[in-house]
Amino acid sequence: MFDESLLDDPDALSRADLHGLLRGAAESGARVRTAARNAAEAGVPALRPDGRPRAVLVAGPGPAAGCTADLLTALAGGSAPVTLIRPTGVAPAPGALRWVLPGWTGPLDLLLVASPDGTEPGLAILLEQAYRRGCSVVCVTPAGSPLADATAQARGLAVPLTTSPSETRAGIEPGAAAGGEDRPAGERPALPIGPGLLWSLITPLLVLADRIGLLAADPSAVEALADRLDQVAERCGPAIATYSNPAKTLAAELADTVPLIWTEGELAAAAGRHFATVLAALAGRPALAAELPEALTAHGTLLSGDFAAGADPEDFFRDRVEEPETLHARVVLLREQEPDVTSPAPAARELALQRETPVSELEPTDADSPLQTAAELLAITDFAAVYLALASTP
């Protein structure tokens, strides 16, 4: 059940926000600034690279590593291939995960490790592999963690992870977001991904990527990125009414639907996949992401099957009082800019209209750089996933 009235009640939202999700989303800009300072203090701007790496490899636990690799791929624009090293293991526990370098990895390559926890033995083993092969290593992980020590032993560069009081530290998960006392983390399950975490992980890597010539992220660009995140937080905050709040509007539109996230452009594709991940992780909602124009073929059958807006079982006269409401598809169009004559967006709208499927659309406004484009798409969809999670009841 989705309680739309909760969206316009800031006090009720605060009481429902046991994990401090809204605070995490609102402080993304501050995280970027702090993470950039941490990168500077760790010595990233002082690096003197010999040139671009042959390839960039990204590793880390959880969905944040995948989105980090996605964003770096889109922002690098082909200046160097970016490869995500996916973990293997019997369970998603720190001690059970293992990462293996591709066989071709060597001294010309760069390994980037992003770990919010820093206790994964498998990542320490990965760093040993990189050291033996002469591969350069940069790790973003909590200061003083076992992974930070392993990075030093592998002669890599460790950048302290930017954290906030709303996150788990030293085995304690703060309950301040709900007005309660701190409690052991085991009493409330940790979230696999939270708003703001991605920016803590990727900001030092953006500073590094700028230094080695992969993309443009100089100090002024990073500050503009933080400013854009602050602006989105102002537009999407809990005090802003639904009718003028793009995140609340999107959350209300996605209630009781199966979102089909169709994207146009590489940055929008990365944001769309991240949106599908946080919808599942935070709101417990299934969502499918696909890139246009292939999405029209991949998801076309969904718009004419059981999830179509007009779909209904044959027995029209049966009693529906005790039955749960049927979920129907809703298309979410994520774009990096206004569509032109080559855009597949009009065809996407036409297909949805033919199948009686509603459409939500989101594109950045007045973005001056790819970083700002990514910031707006990611921040608005993060806020939307949080509102959908808080206003939904079992």
Side-chain angles (χ1 to χ4, degrees):
M1 298 290 294
F2 182 79
D3 183 5
E4 188 170 349
S5 65
L6 191 71
L7 295 180
D8 289 323
D9 188 340
D11 291 336
L13 283 172
S14 178
R15 290 192 296 271
D17 192 6
L18 300 179
H19 288 283
L21 299 177
L22 284 173
R23 181 169 58 188
E27 66 189 12
S28 294
R31 281 179 184 253
V32 167
R33 295 185 183 92
T34 304
R37 287 196 298 270
N38 287 343
E41 292 171 0
V44 172
L47 294 176
R48 299 185 181 278
D50 294 330
R52 293 178 182 174
R54 177 183 62 177
V56 177
L57 301 107
V58 179
C67 189
T68 298
D70 261 357
L71 282 176
L72 289 177
T73 299
L75 292 167
S79 59
V82 179
T83 301
L84 174 67
I85 303 177
R86 299 185 182 278
T88 59
V90 297
L97 296 175
R98 292 293 182 269
W99 290 260
V100 178
L101 288 175
W104 47 261
T105 306
L108 299 179
D109 304 314
L110 171 64
L111 173 63
L112 305 178
V113 178
S115 171
D117 189 59
T119 62
E120 300 87 0
L123 286 176
I125 295 172
L126 179 69
L127 296 186
E128 293 177 8
Q129 297 176 33
Y131 177 69
R132 289 196 301 269
R133 298 196 195 181
C135 179
S136 300
V137 174
V138 175
C139 185
V140 182
T141 190
S145 66
L147 190 57
D149 295 338
T151 305
Q153 293 174 8
R155 297 186 180 179
L157 177 64
V159 181
L161 178 72
T162 300
T163 58
S164 75
S166 59
E167 294 171 342
T168 302
R169 293 190 197 177
I172 299 296
E173 185 173 43
E181 298 179 355
D182 290 354
R183 66 191 73 185
E187 292 185 12
R188 198 164 65 233
L191 294 172
I193 187 171
L197 173 61
L198 177 63
W199 297 111
S200 294
L201 292 171
I202 199 172
T203 300
L205 303 182
L206 292 175
V207 176
L208 172 69
D210 176 77
R211 187 64 182 163
I212 62 180
L214 285 182
L215 50 86
D218 60 17
S220 62
V222 173
E223 182 61 30
L225 165 66
D227 290 342
R228 178 55 63 104
L229 289 170
D230 288 342
Q231 292 166 9
V232 174
E234 292 176 1
R235 292 167 51 205
C236 298
I240 307 301
T242 299
Y243 68 85
S244 59
N245 187 320
K248 288 183 179 180
T249 298
L250 182 57
E253 291 172 346
L254 295 183
D256 303 319
T257 71
V258 176
L260 303 181
I261 305 168
W262 294 354
T263 62
E264 183 180 356
E266 290 189 13
L267 283 173
R273 288 188 285 270
H274 179 70
F275 189 27
T277 297
V278 295
L279 282 173
L282 301 185
R285 299 299 181 96
L288 297 174
E291 299 178 46
L292 291 170
E294 289 84 358
L296 304 181
T297 302
H299 293 170
T301 304
L302 290 172
L303 301 186
S304 58
D306 293 339
F307 292 108
D312 198 22
E314 295 179 0
D315 185 5
F316 179 81
F317 296 99
R318 75 188 187 287
D319 184 5
R320 294 176 171 81
V321 174
E322 299 299 329
E323 294 184 5
E325 186 175 348
T326 302
L327 295 178
H328 295 306
R330 184 180 187 100
V331 170
V332 180
L333 283 180
L334 295 187
R335 297 189 303 271
E336 298 175 11
Q337 57 189 5
E338 293 185 3
D340 56 21
V341 292
T342 64
S343 171
R349 290 193 207 96
E350 182 178 355
L351 176 63
L353 180 63
Q354 291 174 351
R355 304 293 171 81
E356 299 180 352
T357 301
V359 178
S360 300
E361 300 191 39
L362 181 62
E363 68 181 41
T365 56
D366 302 323
D368 296 328
S369 69
L371 276 178
Q372 293 185 37
T373 295
E376 184 150 347
L377 291 175
L378 288 166
I380 292 178
T381 52
D382 270 354
F383 267 106
V386 169
Y387 286 126
L388 189 59
L390 297 182
S392 299
T393 56

